[in-house]
């Protein structure tokens, strides 16, 4: 038989749990919109791993919106399809999108925009979304967190994202990045094997598996999500990015930062050079696309070792400049 004391404690415990359940019901639900585009599923894995704590929260509902171009981008790409997408990507030319399933009139407490950078720019489908009336309505005066999954270069793409979000009067409060941690030249080989051949596992039995590591997704992503959940529930995102940085959500390498700087200058010139010959997919510009498809990998192969040497000297010769640049790209503010 139970003692009167144990019965009394049990009743108190049930009463306390009932009160807590009632309080949970009284709390307003936090609505989150996740807008993303993925060809291979890698970004989707990063999103799901990051948002696992939000999925488990009883006071959060999430609407996932996969952006679907009317004319689907291929995967794997052919050589010509891959490099022919370069001019429109760099110049921000939108593509036609299928209708969205979310209601842009719905109030969302947080909007997450997840994307891959293409050619140091926001990928065409996500950039196209940002130019729609629906984006203008749903992002107006809303806190936004970006999630990026890519090879290793995302700084310039994120700068372009910042510009677009500012035009839409959105408030970028956080950025989480997942990158392939292989050496730059190694990942150059594996990304082409993946993009053009669909080979993600060890290419030629020598090169490492392409993409964001499963370990990063399993160990790091949920920590970022837990931090994001805390700020979502309070509605205060003031210190969110600083906390994410402390947790390792953003890593910037000096050599890649300097290499991207060269691309920021040259890519618009190459994009315009190709575009002058014709629109996407036209036969008139095929020769120029082929030339670019040779020039880009060659330039990376030549410049990467040189930039790596310079990047080792730069922090010694220009410590304040390098630190200032890293600090800026780590944050969410736009110059």
């Amino acid at each position: 038989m139970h003692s009167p004391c144990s019965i009394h404690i049990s009743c108190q415990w049930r009463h306390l749990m009932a009160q807590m359940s009632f309080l949970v019901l009284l709390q307003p639900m936090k609505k989150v919109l996740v807008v993303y585009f993925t060809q291979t599923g890698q970004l989707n894995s990063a999103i799901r791993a990051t948002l696992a704590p939000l999925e488990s929260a009883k006071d959060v509902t999430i609407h996932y919106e996969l952006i679907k171009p009317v004319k689907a981008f291929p995967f794997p790409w052919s050589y010509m399809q891959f490099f022919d997408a370069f001019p429109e990507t760099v110049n921000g030319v939108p593509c036609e999108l299928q209708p969205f399933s979310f209601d842009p009139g719905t109030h969302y407490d947080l909007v997450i925009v997840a994307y891959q950078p293409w050619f140091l720019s926001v990928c065409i489908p996500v950039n196209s979304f940002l130019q729609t009336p629906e984006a203008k309505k749903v992002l107006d005066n809303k806190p936004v967190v970006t999630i990026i999954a890519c090879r290793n270069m995302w700084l310039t793409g994120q700068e372009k994202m910042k510009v677009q979000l500012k035009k839409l009067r959105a408030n970028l409060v956080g950025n989480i990045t997942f990158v392939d941690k292989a050496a730059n030249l190694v990942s150059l080989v594996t990304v082409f094997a993946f993009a053009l051949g669909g080979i993600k596992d060890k290419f030629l039995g020598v090169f490492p598996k392409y993409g964001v590591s499963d370990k990063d997704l399993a160990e790091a992503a949920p920590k970022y999500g837990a931090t994001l959940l805390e700020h979502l529930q309070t509605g205060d995102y003031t210190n969110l990015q600083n906390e994410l940085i402390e947790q390792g959500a953003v890593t910037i390498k000096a050599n890649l930062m300097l290499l991207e700087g060269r691309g920021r200058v040259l890519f618009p010139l190459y994009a315009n050079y190709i575009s002058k010959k014709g629109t996407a997919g036209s036969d008139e510009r095929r020769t120029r696309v082929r030339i670019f498809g040779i020039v880009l990998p060659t330039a990376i192969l030549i410049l990467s070792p040189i930039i790596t040497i310079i990047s080792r000297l730069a922090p010694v010769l220009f410590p304040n400049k390098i630190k200032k640049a890293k600090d800026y790209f780590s944050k969410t503010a736009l110059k």
Side-chain angles (χ1 to χ4, degrees):
M1 295 181 61
H2 297 289
S3 68
C5 181
S6 64
I7 294 173
H8 178 68
I9 293 173
S10 177
C11 290
Q12 284 186 321
W13 176 252
R14 284 198 298 270
H15 180 65
L16 177 61
M17 292 301 293
Q19 285 183 319
M20 291 177 65
S21 299
F22 180 70
L23 289 174
V24 169
L25 291 173
L26 287 179
Q27 291 177 351
M29 295 293 290
K30 297 291 185 180
K31 294 183 178 181
V32 178
L33 173 64
V34 181
V35 181
Y36 71 105
F37 171 76
T38 183
Q39 288 173 288
T40 66
Q42 175 177 257
L43 180 60
N44 184 57
S45 298
I47 294 168
R48 298 290 176 160
T50 303
L51 300 187
L54 280 72
E55 288 278 7
S56 301
K58 294 181 179 180
D59 60 339
V60 177
T61 61
I62 305 176
H63 180 96
Y64 292 93
E65 185 69 33
L66 173 62
I67 298 173
K68 300 177 181 178
V70 170
K71 183 180 179 181
F73 288 92
F75 182 81
W77 301 74
S78 71
Y79 174 88
M80 287 300 298
Q81 288 170 329
F82 183 78
F83 288 107
D84 191 62
F86 167 76
E88 284 67 37
T89 303
V90 173
N91 289 332
V93 179
C95 68
E96 187 179 359
L97 302 176
Q98 295 184 24
F100 306 122
S101 64
F102 73 92
D103 178 5
T106 300
H107 169 74
Y108 290 100
D109 298 282
L110 175 67
V111 179
I112 294 173
V113 179
Y115 72 100
Q116 315 90 2
W118 290 359
F119 301 108
L120 308 186
S121 302
V122 180
C123 62
I124 291 176
V126 172
N127 188 53
S128 300
F129 161 74
L130 295 172
Q131 298 181 53
T132 64
E134 290 87 349
K136 184 176 182 180
K137 188 171 184 179
V138 79
L139 291 174
D140 185 27
N141 200 33
K142 293 294 191 302
V144 174
V145 170
T146 49
I147 297 177
I148 300 171
C150 63
R151 182 173 78 93
N152 56 21
M153 296 188 192
W154 55 268
L155 305 182
T156 307
Q158 185 67 355
E159 286 302 287
K160 291 186 176 184
M161 174 63 74
K162 290 178 183 178
V163 171
Q164 291 283 60
L165 292 176
K166 185 176 181 180
K167 288 180 182 178
L168 295 167
R169 300 199 308 172
N171 181 22
L172 181 62
V173 297
N175 177 42
I176 298 169
T177 61
F178 296 97
V179 301
D180 186 334
K181 294 182 178 178
N184 188 42
L185 293 182
V186 171
S187 66
L188 177 66
V189 174
T190 56
V191 73
F192 280 131
F194 185 49
L196 305 182
I199 303 170
K200 188 172 185 178
D201 291 327
K202 290 189 175 184
F203 180 54
L204 299 177
V206 177
F207 291 92
K209 180 180 178 181
Y210 170 75
V212 178
S213 74
D214 295 335
K215 183 179 179 181
D216 284 349
L217 295 183
E219 296 181 0
K223 292 192 297 183
Y224 308 151
T227 299
L228 182 57
L229 176 60
E230 291 176 9
H231 289 267
L232 171 64
Q233 290 174 328
T234 63
D236 182 2
Y237 300 96
T238 306
N239 203 42
L240 171 61
Q241 187 60 18
N242 288 333
E243 291 179 27
L244 289 173
I245 291 170
E246 289 175 4
Q247 291 177 318
V250 176
T251 301
I252 298 174
K253 295 182 178 180
N255 63 320
L256 298 177
M257 182 174 67
L258 295 174
L259 192 58
E260 277 204 52
R262 299 303 91 209
R264 271 197 300 274
V265 175
L266 296 175
F267 274 21
L269 300 178
Y270 284 119
N272 292 331
Y273 171 72
I274 296 172
S275 296
K276 285 178 181 178
K277 266 294 184 179
T279 56
S282 64
D283 291 336
E284 291 80 7
R285 73 184 202 179
R286 288 179 69 85
T287 299
R288 294 191 177 187
V289 170
R290 285 195 186 96
I291 292 172
F292 176 72
I294 296 170
V295 169
L296 178 60
T298 303
I300 295 176
L301 285 171
I302 294 172
L303 289 176
S304 194
I306 299 172
I307 292 292
T308 299
I309 294 171
I310 294 173
S311 69
R312 296 182 187 280
L313 295 174
V316 178
L317 300 175
F318 313 103
N320 293 334
K321 187 175 182 178
I322 295 297
K323 184 181 182 302
K324 186 176 180 180
K326 282 187 174 183
D327 288 344
Y328 169 72
F329 286 120
S330 297
K331 302 296 178 60
T332 56
L334 176 66
K335 286 181 181 177

